[in-house]
Amino acid sequence: MLLDSYDTEDLFDEMFDGGREVRPHYQLLRERLDTMSREELDQKIKNLETLFIRQGITFTVYGDQRGTERVFPFDPIPRIIPADEWQIIEDGLVQRITALNLFLYDVYHERKILRDKVIPEEVVLSAAHYRPEFVDVDVPRDIYIHICGTDLIRDRDGSYLVLEDNGRCPSGVSYVLENRMAMKRVFPNLFGSAGVRSVDSYAADLLGTLQYIAPHAKPDPVCVLLTPGHYNSAYFEHSFLARQMGIEIVEGRDLIVVDGYVYMRTTRGLLQVDVIYRRIDDDFLDPKVFRKDSMLGVPGLVEAVQRGNVALANAIGTGVADDKVTYAYVEKMIKYYLDQDPILKQVPTFLAWDEKDRGYILDHLPELVVKAANESGGYGMLIGPKASKEEIEKFRQLIIANPRNYIAQPVVYFSRHPTLTDGTVEGRHVDLRPFVLSGERTHILPGGLTRVALKKGSIVVNSSQGGGSKDTWVLHPPRK
Amino acid sequence: MKLRAHHRTEYLYSQPARSNSNEIRLQPPHTPWQSRSFWLLKVLPATPLRHYVDLHRNGVHHFEIGEPHSRLVIDATSTVITLNRYADGEPAGIPFSALETCREDAEVTLYQKDSRYVRIDPAIWRAAIDVKGESDDVYLTAKAIGEHLYDTCRYVSGITTVNTTSTEFFQNRHGVCQDFTHLMLAMCRAMDIPARYVSGYLYDHRRGSLRGAHQSHAWVEVHLPGHGWFGLDPTNRRPVDDHYVTLASGRDYDDASPVKGSFMGSGSRVMNVTVSVEEL
């Protein structure tokens, strides 16, 4: 019915295999979708939209003259990941985050990996987010990235590849939780006995992670979430997570540093804060140390962190690990610190910083995807095959002027997934952002955010650039 | 059984340590009754790891931290799927005469001799003879030795050290799993039964009912010609089934200890170890 005329166009599709047969883990979903009429489905989609607007699940698009808050578009056909595939993802992510955290420790301490020339020293020291202020500063439990959102895509043969690590302030987890809640309300019949793993424990696991890093292992620490405020694109998420964890959401002006300790202003006076889940970039955290014009930060906060009186999640300076040039070396890090081969592969990367690679990049711009090393959210990117001559020229000049800031990769493939469009179902490209928590142990939320490029043929899945999302189901292992 | 183990060893040094060199035997090997699906070793301060395979086919990881440091953390996580070695019953029925071939097998006869902590002295030999009695069954004799130790020795920590020999434990009879294992090895070897030391984890499904479940554990494996190695746990009077995760084996603790190292430094050292095993 709904899916009868669906065409995979011979691309790797999540739901259908090469012979256009439905994959076994989608069989139950297909049967259930087939029992629904288009009218019924349309009605349910209306219900979903109302639900999202009422919940206030919105984001803001920067650089848009209308400056509007929008509802994050949602596609009701869920993406399903079977247990054995998920196990590989989970193992690979645990391995990767462990290596990244060891790398950050090393970079801010003995720098063995640089001295052993496994990674060129200048790559790290020239990274925009490297923070020399934190050399030889110990962070609680030696963990730097507590919350990581790692973007995965699937290659033409279906294997999962890491596209990038987001180890600063990754966002999107609130959509995972809200999408699931909405799906359960509107499509209870789809879940039935499908064996979908719950995502309910995320807030508790996140709070547990924050409490674990309290300075001096203090019991019952005071944790807060620091937001830039309600103009920020992810403000909805900040308030959502604070509410779910039952902790205060604060802005910079709500905190004050006295004698190297951080306090929150409350109606009953000052209350000492032990752990800050900060959703503000390093640059804006403390006008005394980083950007002087920051109105969002807390003067003196950096000193309080250096003295070990307050813990930040994520730690300051993690940007050196998710820099797109550093990315090219993560497989070497895994080998170096863990003596293992990477479980998840990544995309081959050319570094404009390297003279030989740069020559190749400049000669092949129309075939490559060029990314700025320190941008995220799909900004500062050139997709060679789809770019105009002027755009290519502009990037050529940018790369020559500042080679350290650019990398290039072959055009990667994104798998497709059946997605509702006006009146029909068509394949749209998707990625996956699982969320990894590193505390006493490493928790990985089963699933993560599946982002879908709603424009036909597009591979830009970012919400700011016309992407939507899907509920992501990780299945329990089949019972023996 | 699918088991996940987390083993964390932390050393705190009162004065900074230097040239800290360590060998780690914490990687569960693949055996016919155990497969490893995930394994990760994390060392802080961050340092490059290397590995090799030793004489006893253990996967060994090693590293050295040259710079002064006041803390060392060795954190291993593993997920294994275990099968019950005794699913088809106990391997009884093998006579002592079958052991004669072992002398010619270099890989087996290694485990019939004295080693650093396992000494076949006359008193131990006599005790083993008494337990064996008239039996001509290798497996049942080894099992009886284990049960005899369970009945006659007391499980007490803090009396013995990592350097206690089988002879010392034989005399005072108070010790931990390592001592039970060393003495059982000595008694088995006195009877010519090839026996090796195994270090690993024990999953305690009824929390608190088993000894050695919240630390690294040790037990004995005996070699039965034509059948291979079978595990017996004298500390708990149990055959080694799918509740056990093997990490390393050898002649005694010296070959199979999970973490072994040396450092330069003048101060004292405190060690904290936590082991947790859960069923997935």
Side-chain angles (χ1 to χ4, degrees):
Chain A
M1 274 146 274
L2 204 53
L3 287 159
D4 285 350
S5 58
Y6 183 74
D7 187 359
T8 62
E9 299 170 58
D10 291 324
L11 297 170
F12 185 89
D13 192 274
E14 295 287 338
M15 190 166 182
F16 294 93
D17 65 19
R20 307 198 177 192
E21 292 295 318
V22 66
R23 295 181 194 275
H25 55 278
Y26 274 97
Q27 185 60 40
L28 203 61
L29 176 70
R30 161 148 215 189
E31 283 165 20
R32 289 188 178 150
L33 283 176
D34 278 348
T35 63
M36 250 183 259
S37 69
R38 181 74 212 204
E39 292 70 39
E40 199 183 338
L41 198 56
D42 285 341
Q43 185 53 48
K44 282 181 179 286
I45 290 165
K46 270 202 195 112
N47 295 349
L48 271 175
E49 277 165 9
T50 318
L51 201 66
F52 282 129
I53 292 173
R54 225 181 276 150
Q55 294 275 340
I57 305 172
T58 59
F59 70 98
T60 312
V61 179
Y62 296 125
D64 183 329
Q65 289 306 315
R66 287 168 293 176
T68 47
E69 270 188 63
R70 297 189 194 160
V71 174
F72 193 16
F74 178 74
D75 182 81
I77 304 178
R79 189 246 191 96
I80 305 179
I81 303 173
D84 52 346
E85 263 174 37
W86 180 250
Q87 191 62 57
I88 297 169
I89 294 176
E90 198 173 281
D91 292 349
L93 291 174
V94 170
Q95 181 195 51
R96 195 171 172 93
I97 193 70
T98 304
L100 288 173
N101 270 317
L102 289 171
F103 168 72
L104 284 163
Y105 175 89
D106 195 17
V107 158
Y108 289 110
H109 291 82
E110 290 88 15
R111 296 187 182 174
K112 286 182 189 169
I113 201 165
L114 308 182
R115 281 192 278 136
D116 288 343
K117 303 200 187 314
V118 175
I119 300 178
E121 193 168 28
E122 49 268 55
V123 164
V124 171
L125 303 187
S126 65
H129 298 286
Y130 172 65
R131 303 289 177 201
E133 297 87 348
F134 279 82
V135 170
D136 284 332
V137 174
D138 287 331
V139 300
R141 313 274 187 184
D142 299 319
I143 304 170
Y144 285 76
I145 301 178
H146 312 89
I147 302 107
C148 190
T150 304
D151 292 344
L152 304 177
I153 53 172
R154 295 186 82 174
D155 211 350
R156 285 176 179 78
D157 65 359
S159 57
Y160 289 88
L161 298 179
V162 176
L163 185 61
E164 61 185 52
D165 305 287
N166 295 282
R168 282 173 278 165
C169 298
S171 63
V173 74
S174 57
Y175 300 119
V176 177
L177 308 181
E178 286 283 4
N179 286 352
R180 176 62 57 82
M181 213 178 63
M183 279 294 281
K184 277 193 157 165
R185 269 214 226 159
V186 178
F187 292 95
N189 60 323
L190 286 187
F191 287 85
S193 56
V196 180
R197 284 180 63 183
S198 164
V199 294
D200 293 343
S201 67
Y202 183 79
D205 290 340
L206 176 58
L207 183 59
T209 301
L210 298 177
Q211 289 168 337
Y212 180 67
I213 59 164
H216 317 298
K218 184 172 168 184
D220 284 326
V222 175
C223 305
V224 299
L225 186 150
L226 175 61
T227 176
H230 62 274
Y231 292 111
N232 184 269
S233 66
Y235 183 73
F236 161 74
E237 175 155 309
H238 304 164
S239 59
F240 175 88
L241 289 175
R243 196 168 62 236
Q244 291 258 313
M245 288 188 283
I247 65 174
E248 297 295 329
I249 181 169
V250 298
E251 295 183 24
R253 59 177 182 230
D254 299 321
L255 298 180
I256 181 171
V257 177
V258 182
D259 289 340
Y261 288 85
V262 180
Y263 297 88
M264 166 168 54
R265 299 178 212 267
T266 76
T267 49
R268 294 184 194 165
L270 297 181
L271 177 67
Q272 198 197 322
V273 172
D274 303 296
V275 183
I276 303 176
Y277 177 29
R278 49 88 172 222
R279 296 293 299 255
I280 296 182
D281 286 339
D282 288 358
D283 278 336
F284 297 95
L285 269 181
D286 183 347
K288 281 169 86 173
V289 180
F290 301 129
R291 279 179 63 160
K292 310 277 178 264
D293 59 341
S294 172
M295 307 288 283
L296 307 170
V298 184
L301 179 57
V302 166
E303 194 199 332
V305 174
Q306 284 168 332
R307 287 166 63 169
N309 294 334
V310 69
L312 294 186
N314 289 347
I316 293 172
T318 57
V320 66
D322 73 359
D323 180 289
K324 290 185 177 65
V325 177
T326 310
Y327 165 89
Y329 294 94
V330 176
E331 294 191 336
K332 286 184 177 163
M333 277 177 213
I334 291 171
K335 189 78 201 148
Y336 184 82
Y337 296 117
L338 304 175
D339 193 23
Q340 293 188 346
D341 294 324
I343 297 168
L344 291 171
K345 299 267 183 296
Q346 52 182 59
V347 181
T349 302
F350 302 99
L351 306 173
W353 165 83
D354 177 278
E355 222 180 288
K356 218 173 95 203
D357 277 14
R358 181 164 66 244
Y360 180 87
I361 295 170
L362 294 175
D363 288 345
H364 295 81
L365 278 177
E367 299 150 35
L368 296 170
V369 174
V370 179
K371 295 176 180 175
N374 297 301
E375 293 282 350
S376 60
Y379 295 98
M381 193 164 139
L382 172 82
I383 300 177
K386 300 206 168 159
S388 67
K389 274 198 170 135
E390 292 73 39
E391 283 171 301
I392 288 179
E393 261 334 287
K394 188 183 118 198
F395 266 81
R396 185 188 304 283
Q397 297 314 319
L398 286 171
I399 292 169
I400 293 169
N402 186 4
R404 168 63 180 82
N405 198 35
Y406 292 92
I407 60 139
Q409 294 169 332
V411 177
V412 289
Y413 181 71
F414 284 59
S415 59
R416 297 209 312 182
H417 196 292
T419 301
L420 276 183
T421 59
D422 296 332
T424 176
V425 178
E426 289 180 6
R428 290 288 184 270
H429 294 290
V430 293
D431 78 348
L432 176 65
R433 175 179 289 184
F435 290 89
V436 185
L437 296 175
S438 311
E440 187 164 12
R441 40 182 282 203
T442 308
H443 295 274
I444 299 179
L445 179 65
L449 185 63
T450 292
R451 297 184 298 180
V452 50
L454 294 171
K455 258 189 273 172
K456 193 176 174 71
S458 167
I459 55 166
V460 181
V461 295
N462 304 78
S463 54
S464 48
Q465 319 257 331
S469 74
K470 283 174 170 291
D471 192 13
T472 308
W473 294 3
V474 172
L475 303 185
H476 285 290
R479 289 185 182 280
K480 282 155 224 140
Chain B
M1 229 173 216
K2 189 171 189 183
L3 300 174
R4 175 160 58 203
H6 182 209
H7 185 165
R8 180 187 166 90
T9 309
E10 180 186 50
Y11 295 105
L12 300 170
Y13 304 93
S14 64
Q15 300 292 327
R18 285 175 296 118
S19 303
N20 199 338
S21 163
N22 287 269
E23 283 192 346
I24 311 296
R25 286 175 174 78
L26 289 172
Q27 182 180 42
H30 290 288
T31 69
W33 52 95
Q34 170 174 298
S35 66
R36 177 180 76 239
S37 61
F38 180 72
W39 190 74
L40 199 67
L41 176 65
K42 182 176 90 176
V43 175
L44 273 161
T47 196
L49 292 186
R50 311 209 191 291
H51 74 273
Y52 68 93
V53 177
D54 72 11
L55 176 67
H56 306 278
R57 302 201 175 148
N58 300 310
V60 186
H61 288 74
H62 62 104
F63 62 87
E64 182 173 328
I65 298 169
E67 303 80 0
H69 53 284
S70 52
R71 185 164 153 257
L72 170 65
V73 179
I74 298 162
D75 194 305
T77 311
S78 42
T79 306
V80 295
I81 295 157
T82 55
L83 299 174
N84 184 2
R85 185 83 171 102
Y86 292 90
D88 300 325
E90 296 188 306
I94 296 157
F96 273 81
S97 57
L99 294 174
E100 281 162 23
T101 58
C102 295
R103 288 282 167 202
E104 284 125 49
D105 185 341
E107 287 198 18
V108 172
T109 194
L110 194 62
Y111 305 104
Q112 288 178 306
K113 300 171 187 163
D114 273 1
S115 60
R116 184 165 183 174
Y117 298 122
V118 178
R119 312 277 165 77
I120 310 170
D121 66 29
I124 287 179
W125 179 78
R126 271 195 296 277
I129 289 278
D130 287 345
V131 174
K132 178 174 177 281
E134 297 301 308
S135 172
D136 188 37
D137 188 298
V138 176
Y139 171 76
L140 292 178
T141 298
K143 189 180 173 190
I145 291 172
E147 290 172 356
H148 170 75
L149 295 183
Y150 181 88
D151 293 339
T152 59
C153 302
R154 288 194 56 199
Y155 183 79
V156 191
S157 57
I159 292 182
T160 51
T161 71
V162 291
N163 297 315
T164 302
T165 64
S166 55
T167 304
E168 287 158 355
F169 178 64
F170 180 70
Q171 284 152 6
N172 70 38
R173 306 259 165 171
H174 289 69
V176 295
C177 58
Q178 180 185 329
D179 306 303
F180 279 71
T181 300
H182 280 155
L183 182 53
M184 181 168 167
L185 289 173
M187 290 174 74
C188 288
R189 290 177 192 176
M191 296 295 96
D192 249 0
I193 304 171
R196 67 184 180 190
Y197 184 102
V198 181
S199 79
Y201 308 124
L202 170 54
Y203 169 59
D204 186 2
H205 63 295
R206 289 188 309 241
R207 295 164 167 270
S209 65
L210 297 172
R211 298 162 168 177
H214 299 288
Q215 44 201 295
S216 58
H217 192 47
W219 58 90
V220 169
E221 272 181 3
V222 293
H223 181 77
L224 306 173
H227 293 75
W229 295 92
F230 283 79
L232 291 163
D233 178 359
T235 317
N236 287 297
R237 204 182 200 275
R238 266 175 73 106
V240 172
D241 56 14
D242 53 355
H243 288 63
Y244 291 75
V245 177
T246 296
L247 291 176
S249 60
R251 287 162 296 188
D252 56 26
Y253 176 77
D254 196 40
D255 287 337
S257 61
V259 177
K260 191 160 132 180
S262 65
F263 67 97
M264 289 172 66
S266 54
S268 60
R269 183 181 80 165
V270 178
M271 180 176 76
N272 300 310
V273 181
T274 56
V275 173
S276 66
V277 185
E278 56 178 330
E279 187 181 1
L280 296 179

